[in-house]
Amino acid sequence: MSVTGYVEWVLGDERAKNLMHVVTEFDAESGTVLARNGYNTDFAERTAFFAVDGGADSVCADRGDFFGTSGPPAAPAALAEAQLSGRVGAALDPCGALRIGFVLGAGEEREVVFRLGAGKTLEEARELILSSVGQATPLLDAVNAHWRSTLSAIRIHTPDAGADALANGWLLYQVISSRL
């Protein structure tokens, strides 16, 4: 069997304005799709990455190849193929798709971890890719601990449990994560 992960690159304020400037490449050493937008004046040197623990068996960085010409978004054409197209580069409708294949025996299970991130430079992105392999669980635990601590600083209690849940968690999280 195989698992395929997919992202659409924006790398700027609006996807439609930036897609013609996003250049992708495949880093064979880490099995990762890299993406840059050299025309973004604030972040021209930044390199984004989409990686999968274990490295990808095949990749695609063109939405046209991934979805096909007439397939609906709910059924990408690439999922019916044995391998992703391998197409990366400039002048594409940029995306990042990674596929990893494996064999499962009876009663076996496997966790597949995809990682999305960015470095200030290509070198920093590569360091992040290599240093984060196998780190999903401890890093997720640290993030959860941070938010539990941060969101528990203020607590309200009302007769409405739903209002309490919103005010003591979700609304605080929204304000801090998206506004501050």
Side-chain angles (χ1 to χ4, degrees):
M1 61 184 325
S2 66
V3 175
T4 302
Y6 175 85
V7 298
E8 289 188 8
W9 302 114
V10 176
L11 304 184
D13 57 350
E14 292 179 38
R15 187 175 194 284
K17 287 182 359 188
N18 289 281
L19 66 89
M20 70 186 90
H21 304 299
V22 175
V23 177
T24 57
E25 68 179 277
F26 176 63
D27 183 61
E29 182 181 334
S30 61
T32 302
V33 173
L34 303 171
R36 284 186 290 281
N37 178 354
Y39 287 92
N40 184 321
T41 55
D42 294 326
F43 304 105
E45 297 299 316
R46 301 256 173 161
T47 300
F49 63 86
F50 185 47
V52 60
D53 283 3
D57 297 325
S58 63
V59 303
C60 174
D62 182 26
R63 285 183 81 242
D65 286 356
F66 188 79
F67 287 107
T69 55
S70 60
L79 296 185
E81 301 297 326
Q83 296 286 315
L84 298 175
S85 72
R87 193 166 157 185
V88 297
L92 304 174
D93 187 355
C95 72
L98 303 172
R99 179 173 292 160
I100 184 169
F102 50 89
V103 176
L104 285 180
E108 289 183 330
E109 59 183 59
R110 175 161 179 187
E111 180 177 84
V112 177
V113 176
F114 291 93
R115 293 170 284 127
L116 180 65
K120 292 178 183 172
T121 63
L122 175 60
E123 293 75 28
E124 183 178 279
R126 285 190 170 133
E127 287 174 21
L128 287 168
I129 293 163
L130 296 175
S131 68
S132 62
V133 172
Q135 296 299 309
T137 300
L139 290 171
L140 184 57
D141 290 344
V143 167
N144 288 333
H146 165 78
W147 283 111
R148 272 194 303 277
S149 170
T150 301
L151 299 178
S152 66
I154 299 172
R155 306 297 289 172
I156 68 162
H157 299 284
T158 70
D160 183 349
D164 290 355
L166 277 172
N168 292 328
W170 180 247
L171 295 177
L172 289 173
Y173 171 79
Q174 279 296 102
V175 168
I176 294 168
S177 65
S178 66
R179 304 293 190 277
L180 298 181

